[in-house]
């Protein structure tokens, strides 16, 4: 296929993946990727059984799937880049050739991070930026700028910091969002709103704090209004999962959003994830509730 055509198709695929992820709450379902069609023709975006997708009409790899093990996954390395092992077999043909083509042509790929069964977090565009034949490994970066910097294994400290910051924003936060959405079945824990595009994965302890890890137990699914109210200490959650509304808000008189959306939530319990391992940590809730009560219950 002509490279301009291939580039244009990729853009359309990525736009579609972005729209689906937005609607779902940050993730895509395996089945919708497999059933994808473009101009009437079937074009699965991931492979049925393998972790790499190389459509026969494409010169460069379209997508790779990485499996998350615990909070970070096996391809993610400490330098903020992805180390992707050569596929089995001949390093110069098949999948390996198409990965190398992606590097030489600069074609962007989609990385799908598998968070749970049939649930994938898309991260795109990503780029194959380096090839280490002696280690049978490609390096994949979240930013094109890593293409032109020589040996990525010897990055300057400032560059390394940038790579780590990028990994946090573009890999770890989206993965956190997906895990929280899955745990709460894409529902606001306060009001039960079910629109993925209106929901956030809120941190209980903020991520700048040392306890503020991107773990499900430090997260809660909240709609945009309840997230903002939580972050601004207008709404609190006790370590026993009870909702409290700030005293000044309880005493205010205003329209239906204040009355039904906030005041009536006072004293209710949040909806918890079905799996007890996904429930919010009481220690984290206590830390946060302490902040809330100092500011908002007097
Ligand atoms: Zn809500």
């Amino acid at each position: 296929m002509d490279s301009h055509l291939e580039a244009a198709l990729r853009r359309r695929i990525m736009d579609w993946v972005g729209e689906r992820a937005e609607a779902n709450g940050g993730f895509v379902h395996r089945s919708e990727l497999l059933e994808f069609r473009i101009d009437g023709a079937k074009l699965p975006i991931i492979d049925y059984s393998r972790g790499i997708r190389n459509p026969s009409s494409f010169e460069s790899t379209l997508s790779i799937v990485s499996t998350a093990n615990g909070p970070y996954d096996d391809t993610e390395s400490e330098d903020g880049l992805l180390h992707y092992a050569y596929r089995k077999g001949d390093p110069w043909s098949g999948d390996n050739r198409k990965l190398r083509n992606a590097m030489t042509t600069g074609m962007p790929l989609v990385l799908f991070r598998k968070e749970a069964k049939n649930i994938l977090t898309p991260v795109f565009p990503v780029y194959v930026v380096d090839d280490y034949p002696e280690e049978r490994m490609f390096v994949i970066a979240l930013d094109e700028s890593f293409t032109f910097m020589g040996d990525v294994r010897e990055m300057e400290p400032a560059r390394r910091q940038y790579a780590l910051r990028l990994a946090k924003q573009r890999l770890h936060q989206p993965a956190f969002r997906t895990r929280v959405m899955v745990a709460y079945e894409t529902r606001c824990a306060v009001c039960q709103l079910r629109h993925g595009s209106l929901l956030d994965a809120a941190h209980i302890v903020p991520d700048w704090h040392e306890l503020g890890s991107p773990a499900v137990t430090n997260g809660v699914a909240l709609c945009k209004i309840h997230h903002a109210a939580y972050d601004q200490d207008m709404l609190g959650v006790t370590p026993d999962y009870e909702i409290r509304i700030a005293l000044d808000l309880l005493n205010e008189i205003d329209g239906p959003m204040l009355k039904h959306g906030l005041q009536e939530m006072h004293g209710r319990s949040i909806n918890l994830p079905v799996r007890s391992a996904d429930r919010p940590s009481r220690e984290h809730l206590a830390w946060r509730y302490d902040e809330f009560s100092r500011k908002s219950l007097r």
Side-chain angles (χ1 to χ4, degrees), residues 21-67:
E22 173 76 27
N24 290 336
F27 57 88
V28 286
H29 297 276
R30 180 172 180 271
S31 58
E32 54 187 341
L33 295 173
L34 290 173
E35 284 154 22
F36 178 73
R37 305 181 85 89
I38 200 153
D39 302 331
K42 206 165 179 199
L43 181 65
I45 301 173
I46 53 170
D47 195 90
Y48 279 87
S49 55
R50 302 176 322 133
I52 186 165
R53 173 72 176 128
N54 281 315
S56 55
S57 58
F58 279 35
E59 289 302 314
S60 305
T61 299
L62 174 60
S63 74
I64 54 175
V65 176
S66 72
T67 302

Side-chain angles (χ1 to χ4, degrees), residues 188-193 199 222-226:
C188 173
V190 171
C191 68
Q192 311 200 35
L193 186 75
L199 298 180
L222 293 175
C223 68
K224 302 277 181 190
I225 287 278
H226 289 133

